Amino acid sequence: MGSLFRSEEMTLCQLFLQSEAAYACVSELGELGLVQFRDLNPDVNVFQRKFVNEVRRCDEMERKLRYLEKEIKKDGIPMLDTGESPEAPQPREMIDLEATFEKLENELREVNQNAEALKRNFLELTELKHILRKTQVFFDETVPTVSYNTSSSTATFKSRWRYGRRQMADNQNEDEQAQLLGEEAGVRASQPGQNLKLGFVAGVILRERLAAFERMLWRACRGNVFLRQAMIESPLEDPSNGDQVYKSVFIIFFQGDQLKTRVKKICEGFRATLYPCPEAPADRREMAMGVMTRIEDLNTVLGQTQDHRHRVLVAAAKNLKIVRKIKAIYHTLNLFNLDVTQKCLIAECWVPVLDIETIQLALRRGTERSGSSVPPILNRMQTFENPPTYNRTNKFTKAFQALIDAYGVASYREMNPAPYTIITFPFLFAVMFGDLGHGTLMALFGLWMIRKEKGLAAQKTTNEIWNIFFGGRYIIFLMGVFSMYTGLIYNDIFSKSLNIFGSHWHVNYNKTTVLNNKHLQLNPSTVDYEGEPYPFGMDPIWQVATANKIIFQNSYKMKISIILGVIHMIFGVSLSLHNHTYFKNRNAVLYEFIPQLVFLVMMFFYLALLMFIKWNRYAATNSPPYSAGCAPSILITFIDMVLGNTPKTPLEGCESYMYAGQSLFQSLFRFIALCCIPVMLLGKPLKIIQARRQANRQNLTGATSDAEVGMTNGTAGGGAGHGGGGDNHEEEELSEICIHQGIHTIEFVLGSVSHTASYLRLWALSLAHAQLAEVLWNMVLSIGLRQEGWTGGIMLTIVFAFWAILTIGILVLMEGLSAFLHTLRLHWVEFQSKFYKGTGYAFQPFAFDQIIENGGTPAVEGAE
Amino acid sequence: MVSPWLAPIIITAIWGFIGIICPFFARGPNKGVTQCCLMLVASTCWLFWLCCYMTQMNPLIGPKLTRNEILIIAREWGNPIKDQIDITYY
């Protein structure tokens, strides 16, 4: 048998490890990931275990590494995930590691501080640079105005002299401005010795504060200052939090010391930074040069600091995995027992039998690495405990196994439905989702995920919905492919049909017939029908015949739902035979499997058979007993069969039975099926009672040991009746068995009816899907197709977009999801209830890969 | 005129090949699962085709078509209506 059909055979092993070699051995086993350790000191507090100290040190290291990681993420350095994971270091290297991390952390903090200072410096210099550049413009434009103003102000003076107060209504603002600047400059120009000097300050302020700042200045200085501002176009980085901020350069001209202090205070209040700005253009130029060179220098320094930081961080990123490994190893070592002599650690673990060799090899490697001379000992133990269930899956089968495990992990060595589900799941899905177009879309999506598998898997996202889709990529692909096939059979592509082989129905009407009748129904008994069906799938004419398409397809789809359902259930029951024979449960084969199978075949497979008989026997071309009008309803026939009714008298010339002797066969089948019920109900309990009586008799007479009888008794009957253990105990057990069996029987008999009906969901969903697709076509896309001319083109584009969105959103995604869930139910309830217990627990090996992926939380509670 | 049995035989042969012959060529560590999948694919797909084929083998009813549909079929699928008329659809 293949690997996936049953879970792996497991065995409990005892492991004796030399204290020195234990660490290296566990490390090797962690790389291997095939061993599940059991907690041997469950009653010992977590804080009292042997290696608590080491775990704590690892925690401390992890904290430091987390800090480093945060810094790495902040810098946007890609953490090189090469896929390879370095081996866990020796325990003695832990001190070195600790020291390294300590150093790294300190270094990083220092680097960060330095970098911040440097950045602040850099910001100041850039601001100064901008000030110098912008103010240059101000000065440049003021110089000519100054000269202009000089002349104009002298002109005004002159005019004032001349015209007295005639021009009082002069523009106030212009006048003021002219006075503020011009007069002073004029005065300065005319009287250089005077100390009435126009002072100015220059600085940088956040842009959003500028308006308020300006207003404040105006009010506080009563309009006696002159402010010019210019925006700095490029955003500057705030060194304290790394935000990008926009700032503006301003320059304020004022007169006198009083105003100067006032202006400075306002600047302080608005957190504007002031910079010295020399007055003479030559000085400014010189300063600008100096600033530029300093910026250049700082840039190189900053670059070097960044590089250094980068190097430090990259070095740290590698170590993250190592520490997690060390921690996991110590957690595992904490599960071990100490030998009396304190020289040896004892572990108990579940191991797949097939892998014992590999594990031995790994242990030997570990011993060699640690330099210990005493080899570790791996002992197989006998146990009555239930071993864990371990299914070896690959990337393809994993998703299907997950579907099964979501219902319940298989009992140990039970038949695993997963390999059958690989095909039956997409198939039953496709019966409901049968549409070539939608199936293609789904298959292409699945194929894309499979093709880009590595790239998509590498970029780990936390987006849950995407992860679900990506995890099920093979399921999606197969569902899509099967939907394409069923879509071809249904001859349904976006609710239209493909006429590949040429329809086998023909229109043979003449002009007048066509024009005089609103509806015409083709007659299958005439030349309208070729006499043999369309070779592959549904005849395309049915998709066209909107008047009675649904009537025809309903009868077809209902029938296939029942046929597929009955076969699926019989398949499930047959799988239970494999379980019974494997567990050598002869009673279950005789009194469970056989009656169940007979019951299903006699009632429900016969129902499916009737459908084939009806398809085969009744035709429109036949003469009365088997003509179209005489065809009986299968549902009524089946109900009559179950209830034992005689069928109603048929129409003239028809017969009430489909074949000779049908009545006899049906009552025979009904009788056999009914006989199966008491066999299912009583067979097993009676057999157990018999076995126990025999055991008791042997007990009284024979010298066989109690224990042995108890053992055989236990394995045969499922209960544990130790010889002479008292009748009371046995009676109790027996009543339990009887009740259990009763429930099981009722469940099966009633279940087979309801489960068969449940498969009708295949028909219902398929009908709903086809109808939705048709409605979408008629209501949306056909509107666009009906328009003509160039407006029609535009209209069609818009309508098509709308139609495409609805197709993907509703028909593929939502309908797909609903069909998926119904398929899941059909598998979990209708199929698996026939053979699957699912009461096991999963094998959770100690594996580094998983621990690192889960973010370093080792599964300590694995054994529980 | 091709035999009416030709199409069913071809399709059955294809699925039979996939379901019966192909499993013998399965190799590798997952041989059992591959074989199981091939057989299940063939049996499910063949059964699905068979049901569809048998439903149409002896049809009890014929498709009911509106005037439009008849005229469109007559024009597009090439069985023109007797005593020629100008086909316009509306």
Side-chain angles (χ1 to χ4, degrees):
Chain A
M1 273 231 158
S3 51
L4 200 60
F5 291 90
R6 283 184 200 285
S7 62
E8 291 280 324
E9 213 172 316
M10 306 296 279
T11 177
L12 189 65
C13 284
Q14 206 167 26
L15 196 60
F16 294 89
L17 295 169
Q18 237 10 63
S19 297
E20 309 92 59
Y23 180 90
C25 287
V26 171
S27 154
E28 286 291 333
L29 291 179
E31 300 287 349
L32 208 60
L34 282 170
V35 180
Q36 175 180 339
F37 289 103
R38 301 208 313 172
D39 194 356
L40 291 182
N41 356 294
D43 42 348
V44 179
N45 193 319
V46 187
F47 300 106
Q48 290 164 353
R49 300 202 178 197
K50 192 159 185 280
F51 297 97
V52 176
N53 244 336
E54 281 82 353
V55 172
R56 273 201 195 132
R57 279 163 66 195
C58 289
D59 274 338
E60 180 61 22
M61 281 197 276
E62 263 192 317
R63 187 192 61 72
K64 280 174 191 154
L65 282 174
R66 265 200 300 277
Y67 169 69
L68 293 175
E69 201 181 354
K70 208 179 75 198
E71 291 295 314
I72 291 171
K73 293 241 170 82
K74 204 167 114 190
D75 257 27
I77 298 172
M79 290 241 271
L80 278 178
D81 195 4
T82 46
E84 64 182 46
S85 60
E87 285 207 338
Q90 294 290 324
R92 58 176 173 274
E93 286 169 31
M94 211 159 107
I95 299 160
D96 289 348
L97 271 179
E98 272 174 323
T100 324
F101 292 148
E102 184 80 46
K103 212 180 85 195
L104 273 175
E105 197 197 7
N106 287 339
E107 206 169 331
L108 195 68
R109 280 189 201 281
E110 217 162 280
V111 166
N112 276 354
Q113 272 169 12
N114 286 346
E116 207 183 312
L118 281 174
K119 270 189 187 156
R120 200 173 292 278
N121 210 337
F122 181 72
L123 178 77
E124 276 168 14
L125 282 175
T126 2
E127 284 179 356
L128 185 53
K129 184 185 83 183
H130 281 294
I131 283 179
L132 289 172
R133 196 173 292 161
K134 302 282 177 190
T135 48
Q136 188 61 41
V137 181
F138 301 153
F139 287 121
D140 281 352
E141 62 189 30
T142 35
V143 169
T145 45
V146 165
S147 57
Y148 164 72
N149 273 343
T150 329
S151 58
S152 78
S153 64
T154 45
T156 10
F157 276 125
K158 277 175 190 165
S159 63
R160 275 187 189 164
W161 277 109
R162 274 181 202 158
Y163 306 112
R165 294 176 184 177
R166 234 184 74 191
Q167 289 185 338
M168 279 294 278
D170 218 337
N171 190 328
Q172 195 81 15
N173 253 348
E174 206 177 277
D175 207 33
E176 255 175 21
Q177 197 170 337
Q179 274 179 3
L180 187 72
L181 274 173
E183 237 172 82
E184 289 307 316
V187 164
R188 211 163 41 164
S190 56
Q191 298 166 303
Q194 198 153 0
N195 56 358
L196 260 178
K197 206 177 141 199
L198 194 63
F200 67 90
V201 289
V204 171
I205 191 168
L206 280 180
R207 198 172 290 172
E208 59 262 29
R209 290 208 185 124
L210 191 68
F213 178 61
E214 203 172 346
R215 209 174 311 128
M216 185 61 143
L217 268 177
W218 178 262
R219 283 185 190 156
C221 307
R222 303 207 178 80
N224 282 326
V225 292
F226 177 65
L227 175 111
R228 288 297 303 265
Q229 50 96 2
M231 287 183 273
I232 301 173
E233 287 81 12
S234 51
L236 302 168
E237 196 192 326
D238 189 348
S240 52
N241 51 13
D243 287 347
Q244 300 283 323
V245 288
Y246 285 91
K247 290 188 170 183
S248 282
V249 169
F250 65 86
I251 180 163
I252 304 166
F253 297 96
F254 51 82
Q255 188 184 13
D257 283 339
Q258 218 176 346
L259 270 181
K260 184 176 182 178
T261 46
R262 210 177 283 172
V263 165
K264 279 202 169 163
K265 269 193 186 141
I266 292 170
C267 288
E268 213 170 282
F270 277 86
R271 306 251 167 123
T273 23
L274 296 179
Y275 292 95
C277 185
E279 217 165 324
D283 289 350
R284 277 206 300 273
R285 206 165 303 127
E286 205 169 297
M287 190 166 183
M289 298 281 276
V291 166
M292 285 312 277
T293 47
R294 273 165 70 194
I295 285 178
E296 293 276 299
D297 291 350
L298 253 184
N299 254 334
T300 45
V301 174
L302 261 180
Q304 274 168 4
T305 350
Q306 278 295 344
D307 277 357
H308 181 65
R309 191 178 138 87
H310 193 109
R311 270 199 302 278
V312 169
L313 290 179
V314 168
K318 249 186 282 172
N319 288 314
L320 215 58
K321 285 178 177 174
I322 294 182
V323 174
R324 288 205 181 135
K325 278 186 180 179
I326 302 176
K327 197 174 150 195
I329 291 172
Y330 280 119
H331 264 301
T332 310
L333 287 176
N334 271 337
L335 302 179
F336 294 0
N337 231 344
L338 262 185
D339 187 31
V340 215
T341 53
Q342 303 269 324
K343 293 251 173 70
C344 221
L345 282 168
I346 304 169
E348 270 180 30
C349 52
W350 288 109
V351 163
V353 174
L354 285 177
D355 289 318
I356 284 185
E357 282 292 307
T358 359
I359 289 163
Q360 297 268 27
L361 271 176
L363 287 175
R364 211 162 297 149
R365 265 204 310 277
T367 334
E368 272 166 28
R369 234 177 51 163
S370 67
S372 166
S373 52
V374 188
I377 302 161
L378 189 72
N379 254 349
R380 279 180 77 162
M381 286 165 69
Q382 287 296 324
T383 178
F384 295 107
E385 251 179 274
N386 253 337
T389 304
Y390 176 43
N391 287 307
R392 240 181 263 265
T393 54
N394 53 26
K395 65 180 179 180
F396 175 65
T397 49
K398 200 166 139 195
F400 294 97
Q401 188 64 52
L403 283 184
I404 303 299
D405 287 346
Y407 174 77
V409 176
S411 307
Y412 178 62
R413 300 292 285 160
E414 189 179 32
M415 282 300 285
N416 183 9
Y420 313 105
T421 308
I422 293 172
I423 299 303
T424 57
F425 192 92
F427 175 69
L428 286 186
F429 172 87
V431 172
M432 296 188 245
F433 197 75
D435 187 307
L436 182 59
H438 302 151
T440 314
L441 290 178
M442 188 174 269
L444 285 178
F445 177 55
L447 192 66
W448 172 76
M449 281 194 288
I450 293 170
R451 290 293 297 273
K452 301 263 172 196
E453 201 169 52
K454 278 194 185 131
L456 292 172
Q459 39 171 286
K460 285 170 190 142
T461 58
T462 47
N463 186 343
E464 218 168 299
I465 294 172
W466 166 252
N467 282 341
I468 288 174
F469 275 124
F470 184 66
R473 58 195 178 277
Y474 288 99
I475 300 181
I476 290 175
F477 175 66
L478 277 185
M479 289 194 308
V481 171
F482 271 89
S483 299
M484 286 163 73
Y485 181 77
T486 52
L488 267 178
I489 295 273
Y490 288 153
N491 213 337
D492 194 347
I493 167 165
F494 298 122
S495 85
K496 296 289 142 196
S497 57
L498 294 172
N499 190 6
I500 302 171
F501 302 99
S503 174
H504 284 208
W505 292 83
H506 301 285
V507 177
N508 294 312
Y509 300 117
N510 57 28
K511 185 180 159 188
T512 43
T513 329
V514 173
L515 291 181
N516 289 335
N517 291 296
K518 217 173 164 204
H519 286 279
L520 281 170
Q521 187 161 12
L522 301 186
N523 189 351
S525 58
T526 61
V527 279
D528 288 352
Y529 180 58
E530 277 185 15
E532 69 202 57
Y534 191 69
F536 188 79
M538 196 57 89
D539 197 299
I541 202 162
W542 287 108
Q543 205 63 262
V544 180
T546 42
N548 66 349
K549 169 179 104 175
I550 293 183
I551 297 172
F552 178 76
Q553 289 204 332
N554 274 359
S555 100
Y556 158 64
K557 285 182 178 174
M558 275 197 232
K559 281 179 186 141
I560 57 165
S561 311
I562 297 295
I563 292 169
L564 294 175
V566 169
I567 291 176
H568 200 212
M569 286 193 293
I570 290 177
F571 183 53
V573 172
S574 338
L575 286 182
S576 77
L577 176 67
H578 285 285
N579 268 342
H580 298 326
T581 47
Y582 182 82
F583 294 115
K584 302 214 167 52
N585 200 343
R586 199 160 153 270
N587 282 338
V589 175
L590 284 179
Y591 305 114
E592 258 174 25
F593 166 70
I594 290 179
Q596 278 181 357
L597 189 68
V598 169
F599 183 83
L600 263 188
V601 169
M602 290 296 143
M603 304 293 285
F604 295 99
F605 190 70
Y606 176 68
L607 172 67
L609 216 58
L610 281 181
M611 290 169 190
F612 281 99
I613 293 171
K614 185 179 170 185
W615 280 337
N616 200 26
R617 284 229 141 176
Y618 291 89
T621 43
N622 288 355
S623 53
Y626 298 117
S627 69
C630 288
S633 158
I634 294 205
L635 185 63
I636 303 290
T637 313
F638 184 65
I639 290 172
D640 282 343
M641 168 186 167
V642 175
L643 297 179
N645 295 343
T646 44
K648 277 190 206 137
T649 40
L651 295 171
E652 194 82 1
C654 300
E655 279 178 27
S656 50
Y657 292 110
M658 298 164 84
Y659 57 93
Q662 185 184 358
S663 154
L664 180 72
F665 274 114
Q666 283 184 355
S667 35
L668 182 70
F669 289 159
R670 190 177 68 234
F671 177 71
I672 295 173
L674 281 178
C675 286
C676 289
I677 297 174
V679 176
M680 275 187 264
L681 190 64
L682 301 171
K684 230 168 98 176
L686 284 178
K687 205 73 193 163
I688 290 168
I689 291 173
Q690 202 184 351
R692 284 190 186 165
R693 282 224 183 104
Q694 236 166 24
N696 273 348
R697 211 171 297 141
Q698 271 180 357
N699 243 2
L700 291 175
T701 55
T704 41
S705 75
D706 280 3
E708 213 179 286
V709 175
M711 285 291 291
T712 50
N713 212 354
T715 45
H722 280 274
D727 283 343
N728 263 343
H729 182 62
E730 263 186 33
E731 287 299 306
E732 239 176 45
E733 287 276 308
L734 198 66
S735 65
E736 224 165 74
I737 290 170
C738 284
I739 289 169
H740 185 79
Q741 195 66 24
I743 291 171
H744 197 70
T745 309
I746 292 168
E747 198 190 326
F748 180 80
V749 173
L750 295 185
S752 58
V753 179
S754 66
H755 289 177
T756 311
S758 182
Y759 276 97
L760 282 175
R761 74 186 66 230
L762 292 176
W763 154 67
L765 264 97
S766 147
L767 174 74
H769 186 82
Q771 285 301 301
L772 262 177
E774 197 179 326
V775 165
L776 198 62
W777 185 288
N778 289 338
M779 303 286 245
V780 182
L781 195 58
S782 66
I783 296 173
L785 289 169
R786 261 185 233 139
Q787 308 290 323
E788 280 180 26
W790 63 272
T791 46
I794 296 166
M795 181 91 171
L796 182 59
T797 318
I798 297 164
V799 168
F800 176 78
F802 191 56
W803 176 80
I805 288 166
L806 285 181
T807 297
I808 292 193
I810 295 181
L811 286 173
V812 178
L813 271 174
M814 284 174 60
E815 276 278 296
L817 186 67
S818 107
F820 179 89
L821 292 178
H822 280 282
T823 319
L824 201 58
R825 186 222 139 93
L826 284 181
H827 277 83
W828 280 357
V829 180
E830 274 77 24
F831 178 55
Q832 292 183 9
S833 67
K834 302 288 182 289
F835 66 99
Y836 189 64
K837 280 203 193 69
T839 51
Y841 65 99
F843 178 59
Q844 288 170 322
F846 167 68
F848 285 144
D849 300 342
Q850 226 151 7
I851 288 163
I852 287 165
E853 216 162 89
N854 295 344
T857 42
V860 191
E861 63 285 346
E864 282 143 38
Chain B
M1 192 70 192
V2 286
S3 158
W5 292 103
L6 189 67
I9 287 171
I10 290 174
I11 289 164
T12 308
I14 290 172
W15 286 124
F17 176 77
I18 292 174
I20 299 168
I21 313 290
C22 284
F24 287 105
F25 297 103
R27 290 283 173 276
N30 292 312
K31 188 180 163 191
V33 177
T34 316
Q35 285 174 333
C36 169
C37 284
L38 282 171
M39 288 192 279
L40 275 173
V41 167
S43 46
T44 50
C45 288
W46 179 77
L47 180 70
F48 200 68
W49 163 82
L50 181 79
C51 288
C52 190
Y53 189 84
M54 286 192 70
T55 324
Q56 301 178 82
M57 219 159 52
N58 299 312
L60 301 179
I61 56 168
K64 194 175 180 182
L65 303 165
T66 61
R67 195 186 300 149
N68 263 349
E69 286 159 359
I70 291 176
L71 294 174
I72 293 168
I73 287 173
R75 192 181 69 171
E76 299 292 332
W77 290 356
N79 49 4
I81 288 176
K82 287 159 207 161
D83 50 65
Q84 283 293 323
I85 50 160
D86 280 332
I87 295 160
T88 50
Y89 65 91
Y90 30 88

